[in-house]
Amino acid sequence: MEDLTIASTLKGLKNGDFTSKEITEDYLKKIEDNKDLNAYITVCSDIAIKMAEVADKKRANGETDSMLGVPIAVKDLFCTKGIKTTAASKILSEFVPEYESTVTQNLINHGAVFLGKTNMDEFAMGSSNVTSYFGPCFLPYRKQSAPDMPLVPGGSSGGSATAVASDLCVAATASDTGGSIRQPASFSGLVGIKPTYGLCSRYGMVAFASSLDQAGPLTKTVEDAAIMLNAMSSYDPKDSTSENVNIPDLRSVLGKSIKGMKIGLPKEYLENLNEDGINSINEAKRWLEDAGCEIVNISLKTTPYALPAYYIIAPAEASSNLARYDGVKYTYRSPSYSNLEELYVNSRSEGFGEEVQRRILTGTYVLSAGYYDAYYNKALKIQKMIKEDFNNNAFSKVDVLLTPTTPSTAFGMSEINNMSPIDMYLNDIFTVTVNIAGLPAMSVPCGLSSKDKLPMGVQLIANRFNETDIFKVAYVMEQAANFNDLKKEILRR
Ligand code: GLN
């Protein structure tokens, strides 16, 4: 089970080396044995075994769906019919959806087996999984210089990252509003792609900031990301922002030559990088040059405005989306109230955590009559400028951009105490631009930090619906990085 990928699981199932039920049972046991990592909020053992049995039967009948019998985990923000879906919030802590999200339905249709629902930051707001009502979740790695300090897996998809990195599932779904797939991928040594906005349906995904939210996979390899994203994506009339595009089978481009491709290096992403960051970009550059790419230095002047704009647009939309949790229609209701207003106020005050309340307050403020123009409208103007900047100064010149994914490697749980909310928000500095512009981007493991031997990722960004270019380049980098070998140097908890 160690290091099983989607591709190798499918091979093993096909060859009859094991059945889906056997590995599903192994995973369930391993999840139980590693409960202290707190990767899962809900483990659905009975359902998992039933799904595995169905998959085994289908395979015996000659069916070969693209993820048939592969045990995966689902971020607890995708509604799963009959399985509790909490978004890691007290306010949804008893919510059992009556319907299935399109992404999870697609995975079911492709034969995947669900082991359970993974931990995350509450309503996907955070970068370290510490805002979860169900407690933090832990990276299975340690710093060489501080072997006793537990580390965060990043966030908000921290549980999915930990589950994949600890072999508590083969792969997992995640979501990314400002970096929540790519940042945990980078911290955990995984591949994580946020697809173009509109490629995966948002139907049945608990909404954070609807114009930025996108689903995507967290996997161990680029090939797995291709298999899983193929399965997750679809045009869906139930999501009005879903786009009816036909992108090619992502797996079919793996191994294709990237000779002659132009790779842009935006200078604004390279300022203030630490030495490890600089080294990883230089190394990635060298691999791409060796593969025949041309590296082009470019400038995206709007970059510094992306983070402030994000922290206006995202809270604004969150404050509106989260208005529905009023203590009347959805699960948690405060026991202490004597009139309707108190019911609302007390349910929301007790049901939402501190970070979520901060976002609701910020969002309500920037949308209020007196400040709408000064903040929200200005942020939307910046959004337009950022999109134009990418079009005019990046994709008119190059095919793919290469940038760091995060400013640092995984940090310690105890180090968070010294961080202000703004320090935490700065984690997203390289990732939010992509959400603001609706572009696809992937974090690919590229090496280990020099002192602590922790995973580092680099980010590849492409134009809208040009996922194929990202996969082509990522596959070449993955071969060059040989991360599987490097992984052996990481100190495990
Ligand atoms: N860390 C960012 C935030 O807190 C992004 C979260 C996300 O992508 N869901 O908003």
Side-chain angles (χ1 to χ4, degrees):
M1 211 165 69
E2 292 285 310
D3 287 331
L4 269 187
T5 62
I6 298 177
S8 65
T9 304
L10 289 167
K11 208 187 256 166
L13 289 167
K14 190 171 158 221
N15 294 344
D17 299 341
F18 43 73
T19 65
S20 175
K21 189 177 175 187
E22 281 167 354
I23 50 171
T24 298
E25 282 170 346
D26 285 350
Y27 276 119
L28 290 169
K29 175 158 189 314
K30 196 161 180 193
I31 293 169
E32 182 64 34
D33 292 345
N34 288 274
K35 258 192 161 155
D36 57 321
L37 289 172
N38 209 15
Y40 284 83
I41 291 174
T42 302
V43 180
C44 49
S45 313
D46 295 348
I47 291 172
I49 288 171
K50 263 193 210 119
M51 289 174 101
E53 282 171 350
V54 170
D56 285 332
K57 214 174 262 162
K58 280 188 168 179
R59 192 169 286 281
N61 290 335
E63 291 184 40
T64 55
D65 299 319
S66 71
M67 293 194 56
L68 189 60
V70 179
I72 62 167
V74 175
K75 183 174 181 177
D76 206 17
L77 140 152
F78 293 89
C79 286
T80 38
K81 191 174 174 184
I83 306 172
K84 207 159 73 171
T85 300
T86 70
S89 182
K90 180 176 178 182
I91 215 153
L92 281 176
S93 52
E94 301 302 329
F95 176 55
V96 180
E98 295 289 332
Y99 61 96
E100 192 74 36
S101 81
T102 298
V103 161
T104 46
Q105 186 61 54
N106 287 347
L107 288 164
I108 293 170
N109 295 346
H110 283 90
V113 171
F114 295 167
L115 294 165
K117 308 293 293 287
T118 54
N119 205 344
M120 54 183 279
D121 279 300
E122 185 180 1
F123 282 105
M125 297 171 190
S127 306
S128 51
N129 210 117
V130 294
T131 70
S132 169
Y133 172 64
F134 300 93
C137 147
F138 300 91
L139 191 72
Y141 312 143
R142 293 289 164 93
K143 288 186 183 185
Q144 306 263 354
S145 67
D148 297 329
M149 180 168 64
L151 301 176
V152 304
S156 64
S157 314
S160 289
T162 292
V164 181
S166 314
D167 291 309
L168 304 182
C169 60
V170 181
T173 71
S175 72
D176 190 311
T177 305
S180 282
I181 293 176
R182 291 158 289 155
Q183 187 247 20
S186 176
F187 281 11
S188 311
L190 301 174
V191 174
I193 176 162
K194 180 204 93 73
T196 308
Y197 184 76
L199 189 70
C200 288
S201 169
R202 289 181 297 105
Y203 177 76
M205 253 170 86
V206 176
F208 164 10
S210 308
S211 78
L212 309 170
D213 298 342
Q214 257 300 292
L218 268 169
T219 59
K220 290 177 193 161
T221 64
V222 174
E223 183 184 21
D224 278 9
I227 299 172
M228 193 155 164
L229 184 53
N230 277 340
M232 289 168 74
S233 59
S234 65
Y235 168 62
D236 182 11
K238 286 188 280 197
D239 169 2
S240 61
T241 59
S242 167
E243 299 236 18
N244 199 353
V245 285
N246 245 335
I247 63 162
D249 173 358
L250 295 166
R251 213 173 169 183
S252 69
V253 304
L254 304 179
K256 288 255 158 76
S257 165
I258 58 169
K259 203 168 162 195
M261 276 182 82
K262 291 191 171 148
I263 310 289
L265 218 54
K267 84 171 198 297
E268 289 76 8
Y269 285 75
L270 308 174
E271 290 159 3
N272 305 322
L273 269 189
N274 62 25
E275 211 178 302
D276 280 332
I278 296 169
N279 289 341
S280 59
I281 290 289
N282 283 338
E283 198 152 39
K285 220 166 89 177
R286 205 164 353 101
W287 296 332
L288 297 175
E289 276 170 344
D290 288 348
C293 294
E294 184 191 336
I295 307 289
V296 185
N297 291 316
I298 62 166
S299 167
L300 290 166
K301 295 205 168 55
T302 55
T303 306
Y305 308 112
L307 196 67
Y310 171 85
Y311 276 98
I312 288 172
I313 296 171
E317 293 185 20
S319 73
S320 162
N321 273 327
L322 271 57
R324 74 190 70 174
Y325 306 108
D326 54 9
V328 178
K329 297 186 293 293
Y330 292 94
T331 57
Y332 180 77
R333 178 180 299 178
S334 168
S336 56
Y337 60 89
S338 52
N339 57 43
L340 186 62
E341 189 176 343
E342 263 179 40
L343 183 153
Y344 289 153
V345 171
N346 294 350
S347 299
R348 285 169 68 84
S349 303
E350 293 161 28
F352 290 132
E354 190 186 343
E355 183 58 33
V356 174
Q357 294 194 19
R358 181 178 296 116
R359 308 279 177 122
I360 293 174
L361 288 172
T362 314
T364 309
Y365 181 82
V366 299
L367 288 178
S368 61
Y371 296 102
Y372 195 92
D373 275 336
Y375 292 105
Y376 186 64
N377 262 341
K378 216 180 224 172
L380 292 185
K381 283 182 196 158
I382 291 174
Q383 175 168 36
K384 199 160 162 258
M385 285 164 59
I386 291 172
K387 284 184 181 172
E388 287 169 359
D389 204 9
F390 272 112
N391 281 332
N392 300 335
N393 300 312
F395 298 120
S396 60
K397 300 177 181 152
V398 299
D399 303 302
V400 172
L401 307 184
L402 171 68
T403 78
T405 307
T406 51
S408 74
T409 50
F411 38 88
M413 207 62 84
S414 54
E415 289 172 309
I416 293 178
N417 302 334
N418 305 324
M419 289 168 85
S420 71
I422 306 252
D423 292 333
M424 195 57 92
Y425 298 170
L426 281 168
N427 262 287
D428 309 322
I429 192 136
F430 302 132
T431 47
V432 291
T433 43
V434 161
N435 302 74
I436 298 259
L439 303 171
M442 179 190 275
S443 181
V444 199
C446 68
L448 302 178
S449 60
S450 50
K451 187 167 132 231
D452 284 317
K453 303 283 176 224
L454 284 177
M456 293 190 307
V458 287
Q459 180 174 234
L460 298 170
I461 307 172
N463 208 347
R464 280 168 56 75
F465 297 109
N466 209 355
E467 272 80 359
T468 45
D469 273 352
I470 294 186
F471 275 90
K472 258 195 253 175
V473 175
Y475 192 72
V476 169
M477 296 210 332
E478 182 181 52
Q479 313 287 313
N482 196 8
F483 192 74
N484 260 343
D485 255 11
L486 283 181
K487 240 163 66 178
K488 295 176 191 139
E489 289 176 46
I490 302 176
L491 185 62
R492 296 226 149 215
R493 88 189 154 112

